[in-house]
C-alpha cells in the first residue's frame, strides 16, 4: 500500500485490480468525487464516469481496476499522478435506500455545478 501520492510516480502506466472506491463530497468543488479506499492514499484523484457519480448516492462503493496515469504538458509531467477507473462494478449492499445524490444545478451553464438532494425510499 502506498503511503503518499508522490509514491504513485513510480507506478505510472500500471494497472491494479480489485480496488475499492467510494463516491464522496469534496469541500473545494461542488461535483461529487471518487476516492480510493484501498491500495492508494484517500486524497488520490480518480477519473470516474460522471453518470455513475450522479446515479448513486454519496457513499456508494465500487470495485474497479485502476490505471495510474500522468498528464503531460510540453512533454513534461503536469500535475500529480491520478487513477483512471476501468471495469467498474457497484457494490450493491453499499447503495443506501436514502442519501445525498448529486444533481446538476438548475441554470448551470457548464453543467458542472452541482447541488445535493436527499432521496428517500418511496
Amino acid at each position: 500500500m502506498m503511503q503518499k501520492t508522490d509514491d504513485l510516480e513510480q507506478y505510472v502506466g500500471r494497472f491494479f485490480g480489485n480496488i475499492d472506491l467510494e463516491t464522496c463530497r469534496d469541500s473545494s468543488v461542488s461535483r461529487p468525487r471518487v476516492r480510493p479506499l484501498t491500495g492508494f492514499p484517500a486524497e488520490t484523484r480518480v477519473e470516474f464516469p460522471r453518470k455513475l457519480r450522479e446515479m448513486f448516492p454519496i457513499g456508494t462503493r465500487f470495485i474497479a481496476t485502476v490505471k495510474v496515469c500522468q498528464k503531460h504538458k510540453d512533454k513534461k509531467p503536469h500535475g500529480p499522478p491520478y487513477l483512471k477507473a476501468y471495469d467498474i462494478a457497484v457494490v450493491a449492499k453499499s447503495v443506501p435506500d436514502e442519501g445525498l445524490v448529486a444533481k446538476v444545478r438548475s441554470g448551470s451553464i457548464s453543467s458542472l455545478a452541482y447541488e445535493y438532494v436527499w432521496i428517500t425510499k418511496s
Side-chain angles (χ1 to χ4, degrees):
M1 174 128 125
M2 288 166 251
Q3 297 302 312
K4 53 186 178 183
T5 307
D6 294 344
D7 294 341
L8 287 178
E9 292 174 4
Q10 62 185 319
Y11 297 104
V12 170
R14 288 190 50 196
F15 288 86
F16 296 86
N18 296 315
I19 301 298
D20 292 316
L21 305 171
E22 177 184 55
T23 55
C24 61
R25 291 183 72 179
D26 187 329
S27 61
S28 63
V29 294
S30 69
R31 65 184 173 275
R33 297 267 191 188
V34 172
R35 67 176 165 220
L37 296 175
T38 58
F40 298 91
E43 68 272 4
T44 307
R45 298 286 188 203
V46 180
E47 185 176 310
F48 197 84
R50 180 177 175 180
K51 285 291 183 193
L52 289 175
R53 287 182 281 139
E54 293 173 354
M55 187 182 307
F56 294 98
I58 298 300
T60 299
R61 294 179 62 189
F62 301 87
I63 304 258
T65 297
V66 298
K67 180 181 181 182
V68 180
C69 298
Q70 173 72 63
K71 293 188 188 266
H72 287 79
K73 185 175 185 179
D74 299 325
K75 299 184 182 180
K76 294 180 184 173
H78 182 70
Y82 63 97
L83 306 175
K84 182 170 182 170
Y86 296 91
D87 302 326
I88 302 163
V90 67
V91 177
K93 67 181 180 180
S94 76
V95 181
D97 289 334
E98 300 182 336
L100 287 177
V101 175
K103 300 286 183 189
V104 174
R105 188 175 295 141
S106 178
S108 172
I109 295 169
S110 67
S111 295
L112 294 177
Y114 288 82
E115 61 187 1
Y116 290 84
V117 294
W118 189 262
I119 58 162
T120 58
K121 188 174 181 179
S122 300

